[in-house]
Amino acid sequence: MSEHRQTPARRKFLRFTCRLSLVFLVSIQSAWPFDHGHTLLDELLGDIVVVQGHQTSVDYTRLKNRPDRLLHYIDQVEAVSEVEFGRWDRDQQLAFLI
């Protein structure tokens, strides 16, 4: 029966493979195009903005209890690279900045 031993060469190969996988996963995440419909933000606002006649208010307790959706939207915004931003038309750039 062969014994699996962690030789220095094998450890080095495993570390290299892990790093390569991480780089690949990060590049895939940044390859997703930005959602110019702001779907995540729209859904979040639909859940926390309360309309009462002509008045609106924000249910901050609901937002505080579910910060993951806001944080996920912020992650999407932060993931936009300068190169990706440069590919957008002027209206998309302005909407993004506003």
Side-chain angles (χ1 to χ4, degrees):
M1 201 184 279
S2 67
E3 188 177 310
H4 292 284
R5 293 175 40 204
Q6 291 289 328
T7 64
R10 182 167 172 80
R11 279 193 297 260
K12 187 175 181 179
F13 173 75
L14 290 173
R15 279 195 307 266
F16 172 76
T17 304
C18 288
R19 288 179 184 148
L20 186 60
S21 298
L22 181 61
V23 168
F24 178 72
L25 290 173
V26 168
S27 68
I28 285 176
Q29 191 250 348
S30 65
W32 293 96
F34 180 74
D35 173 19
H36 289 280
H38 301 272
T39 305
L40 289 175
L41 182 61
D42 188 50
E43 290 172 357
L44 172 64
L45 293 176
D47 287 345
I48 66 170
V49 174
V50 179
V51 179
Q52 298 169 338
H54 295 291
Q55 296 181 355
T56 58
S57 60
V58 175
D59 185 345
Y60 288 104
T61 302
R62 186 175 287 180
L63 177 61
K64 182 180 177 183
N65 291 335
R66 292 282 319 271
D68 54 311
R69 295 190 307 161
L70 179 59
L71 295 173
H72 186 65
Y73 174 74
I74 291 170
D75 288 343
Q76 277 189 344
V77 171
E78 288 179 338
V80 174
S81 69
E82 189 174 341
V83 172
E84 181 180 4
F85 181 81
R87 291 186 193 128
W88 299 343
D89 64 40
R90 184 175 183 275
D91 290 342
Q92 289 173 321
Q93 290 176 346
L94 289 174
F96 179 81
L97 294 173
I98 293 170

